[in-house]
Amino acid sequence: MNKESVGLVETKYYDIDGTIELESGATLDDVVVAYETYGELNKEKNNAIFVCHALTGDAHAAGWHEGDEKPGWWEIVIGPGKALDTNRYFIICSNVLGGCKGTTGPSSINPKTGREYARDFPVITIKDMVKVQKKLVDSFGIKELKAVIGGSMGGMQVLQWMVSYPEMVKKAMPIATTARTSPQQIAFNEVGRQSIFSDPNWNNGYYYESGKVPKKGLAVARMVAHITYLSEESMYLKFGRDLQDKDEVTYDLGMDFQVESYLHHQGATFVKRFDANSYLYITKAVDLFDLAIKNSLTDGLNDVDSKVTVVSINSDWLYPIDQGMEIVSALSANDVEVSFAELKSSYGHDAFLLERGQLNYIISRFLSDDRVSDIMTSDVQTIKPTSDIKEAAKLMLDNQVTHLPVVSDDSKLIGIVTSWDLSKAIATNTYSLNDIMTTSVKYCYKQDSIDDVIYKMREDDISCLPVVDDDLKLEGVVTIDQLSHFIPNGSY
């Protein structure tokens, strides 16, 4: 285990109080969410990043479970010094609703019957998955996410976060995904579902008590899906037309080629870790995903308020570049701050799980492009110049702050008073705020870069800067504690 890993981790579980109402109108009670976190949530609770997993992923995105043979599925970008730097950020990843890795799904016990839900589990959507994720995030007391990031079906969740909770998502990075599932994508999913339905052990979904699992159907579904995750170039490079364990073809209906053996291995491995009913429900959720309103994606993304980078993979034929560009165009039409990044790879769709160098560069650049608006506190306690010292001291004590911006009746910044100023007032028997407050206040703007603000605070040896607009009206404050995650080695 190297120093760039978060090390040993454990999956945790959150029980959601009350009833979850689904997009279909159906409801779920006693929903449990399996999740993992990496890094520490700062006291301002503004350094949280939510990572969304792909179709058959889970909450184990990084680090190692006891006895693991391999780390979490996104170990290449999560950890100390990586793009999702756990020395700076608090990373959250949860298993989706409908999954089979700890979050409530078809294989979970239905509290109404005492048996597995099986086919009694209601049809879910990506929107329902994100609603449950929001409940988990709320449980930490987090009001705003620094970013939401994910690839493939995880990218769909990112887009849904942007639409459902625009006020919560500062930055968003949907990777290798689409805003509305295409007929071709639906077709591949339907072939997979039909292979499960046709397995004699499926038993209309009620197979848990018999122990006879529809392994063959699920394995074929995985084989079909896995083909879409690769590119033709990667398959040629990996397999070509090489034979498997033989020197010449046998002219029977058995396996001749390495690529055949590979797909069978993928299917056999998959059935050991995934539930067939979960596969049915999750692929259906993907098929139902469509953020357009009356066929207009621009209208569907009208309320987005995040800073966005859309990432597509040049060799991805499952979610091709033009579907990523459609998202960019719709966001641009709504004046959203959006950029596009192309990940160049021969791996196809799976490149978002494999291209360590490019992914770390793209994600790091996106997260490091920070402005004061990304981290400032907007809910600021202020005081009027006519107030007295006692009132200022009480406000500081009650709100646990060391700086109070002094504002006029129209909210313009006219000064600042610090805990040091209050100490001076006590020593000199001063009672008027006007006599001790600083009127030549250093301040910054929302659009200022984090690097510029850090430099200014170092130069002037101050630990808090008011944030103002062009008319000097107070919009928030930024403190050195909020900036500590952006300072190398935490030094100031």
Side-chain angles (χ1 to χ4, degrees):
M1 207 175 298
N2 62 47
K3 64 181 181 181
E4 293 181 344
S5 174
V6 296
L8 288 176
V9 297
E10 292 183 1
T11 303
K12 302 173 185 176
Y13 302 89
Y14 173 64
D15 298 322
I16 296 178
D17 291 332
T19 298
I20 299 292
E21 184 170 341
L22 305 175
E23 195 171 0
S24 66
T27 59
L28 281 172
D29 296 318
D30 301 331
V31 171
V32 176
V33 186
Y35 71 97
E36 292 187 7
T37 64
Y38 321 105
E40 294 184 7
L41 185 63
N42 63 16
K43 68 178 184 180
E44 294 84 9
K45 298 187 176 183
N46 62 5
N47 69 328
I49 295 176
F50 199 93
V51 170
C52 305
H53 72 70
L55 187 75
T56 61
D58 53 36
H60 184 38
W64 298 77
H65 287 167
E66 194 73 52
D68 267 355
E69 294 182 1
K70 60 181 181 179
W73 58 267
W74 230 14
E75 176 81 358
I76 62 172
V77 296
I78 300 174
K82 299 174 187 175
L84 298 180
D85 189 345
T86 49
N87 290 329
R88 291 187 172 190
Y89 309 123
F90 179 63
I91 312 298
I92 309 169
C93 183
S94 68
N95 186 216
V96 296
L97 181 67
C100 54
K101 294 290 186 175
T103 295
T104 299
S107 60
S108 301
I109 299 299
N110 183 343
K112 295 177 181 177
T113 66
R115 298 192 302 271
E116 291 88 352
Y117 279 99
R119 282 294 296 278
D120 295 332
F121 196 75
V123 170
I124 55 170
T125 65
I126 300 295
K127 187 175 183 179
D128 297 329
M129 294 176 183
V130 170
K131 177 183 280 191
V132 168
Q133 292 168 357
K134 167 72 159 46
K135 296 281 188 183
L136 173 64
V137 171
D138 289 344
S139 73
F140 289 100
I142 296 167
K143 303 298 183 185
E144 192 172 62
L145 289 165
K146 179 175 178 62
V148 183
I149 301 175
S152 195
M153 188 188 80
M156 295 178 185
Q157 296 162 58
V158 173
L159 293 168
Q160 189 67 63
W161 264 100
M162 292 158 52
V163 171
S164 293
Y165 309 105
E167 74 288 350
M168 277 197 72
V169 183
K170 277 289 194 182
K171 294 184 176 184
M173 181 177 281
I175 305 171
T177 195
T178 183
R180 42 185 170 183
T181 305
S182 73
Q184 183 187 61
Q185 292 153 1
I186 294 170
F188 278 115
N189 286 339
E190 176 61 7
V191 172
R193 286 192 293 268
Q194 288 300 322
S195 71
I196 294 172
F197 293 152
S198 65
D199 190 308
N201 288 335
W202 184 57
N203 193 30
N204 202 33
Y206 297 94
Y207 53 80
Y208 298 108
E209 291 183 2
S210 71
K212 295 180 179 179
V213 179
K215 292 182 179 181
K216 290 183 178 179
L218 181 58
V220 171
R222 180 62 171 182
M223 289 166 69
V224 171
H226 198 79
I227 294 168
T228 70
Y229 305 152
L230 308 175
S231 69
E232 185 176 22
E233 181 183 359
S234 68
M235 293 178 83
Y236 258 110
L237 290 171
K238 191 176 184 70
F239 310 110
R241 289 184 53 83
D242 294 345
L243 301 178
Q244 178 69 24
D245 299 328
K246 58 183 68 174
D247 297 323
E248 56 185 30
V249 296
T250 53
Y251 295 101
D252 59 23
L253 297 181
M255 283 189 292
D256 283 316
F257 299 99
Q258 285 184 8
V259 67
E260 294 174 298
S261 176
Y262 172 78
L263 290 175
H264 279 271
H265 171 74
Q266 290 296 324
T269 302
F270 184 64
V271 300
K272 295 176 183 178
R273 69 174 182 86
F274 214 79
D275 176 58
N277 280 335
S278 276
Y279 193 86
L280 297 173
Y281 279 90
I282 293 174
T283 56
K284 191 64 178 179
V286 168
D287 291 355
L288 294 172
F289 185 64
D290 182 0
L291 290 179
I293 295 177
K294 294 182 178 179
N295 205 36
S296 170
L297 189 55
T298 300
D299 289 346
L301 299 180
N302 182 62
D303 293 330
V304 172
D305 194 33
S306 310
K307 185 185 296 183
V308 185
T309 288
V310 177
V311 182
S312 292
I313 301 161
N314 68 331
S315 58
D316 185 355
W317 60 277
L318 179 60
Y319 297 107
I321 283 179
D322 64 307
Q323 292 183 7
M325 291 305 301
E326 182 186 30
I327 299 169
V328 173
S329 297
L331 291 171
S332 297
N334 287 311
D335 294 324
V336 173
E337 187 177 347
V338 59
S339 59
F340 178 78
E342 181 181 341
L343 197 160
K344 298 182 184 298
S345 175
S346 64
Y347 288 125
H349 182 66
D350 267 356
F352 82 94
L353 298 170
L354 301 169
E355 291 286 0
R356 175 192 299 266
Q358 289 185 73
L359 279 167
N360 275 282
Y361 173 74
I362 291 170
I363 296 172
S364 295
R365 186 178 61 177
F366 179 59
L367 293 177
S368 65
D369 183 23
D370 282 299
R371 303 290 165 183
V372 169
S373 59
D374 293 323
I375 65 164
M376 75 179 198
T377 300
S378 300
D379 184 17
V380 182
Q381 183 62 59
T382 61
I383 195 168
K384 297 293 176 62
T386 52
S387 300
D388 59 25
I389 299 298
K390 185 177 180 181
E391 183 180 353
K394 187 175 187 308
L395 282 172
M396 284 189 181
L397 186 63
D398 290 346
N399 292 278
Q400 296 184 321
V401 294
T402 57
H403 295 72
L404 282 176
V406 185
V407 298
S408 61
D409 290 336
D410 59 355
S411 298
K412 286 188 177 180
L413 181 69
I414 57 177
I416 196 165
V417 60
T418 69
S419 54
W420 172 253
D421 295 326
L422 293 184
S423 299
K424 183 171 62 176
I426 294 170
T428 58
N429 291 319
T430 302
Y431 300 98
S432 170
L433 206 62
N434 270 314
D435 291 339
I436 62 163
M437 74 177 188
T438 301
T439 53
S440 55
V441 188
K442 304 290 183 180
Y443 53 81
C444 63
Y445 300 98
K446 287 169 64 173
Q447 64 270 25
D448 287 349
S449 75
I450 294 297
D451 288 344
D452 289 345
V453 168
I454 291 173
Y455 178 79
K456 181 183 290 188
M457 293 175 85
R458 278 174 165 163
E459 282 290 292
D460 295 311
D461 194 24
I462 52 179
S463 58
C464 178
L465 271 180
V467 184
V468 299
D469 65 12
D470 291 336
D471 296 322
L472 287 183
K473 286 189 175 180
L474 186 72
E475 296 193 296
V477 297
V478 60
T479 68
I480 196 60
D481 285 342
Q482 292 169 306
L483 293 167
S484 62
H485 290 282
F486 299 91
I487 302 170
N489 301 320
S491 59
Y492 176 63

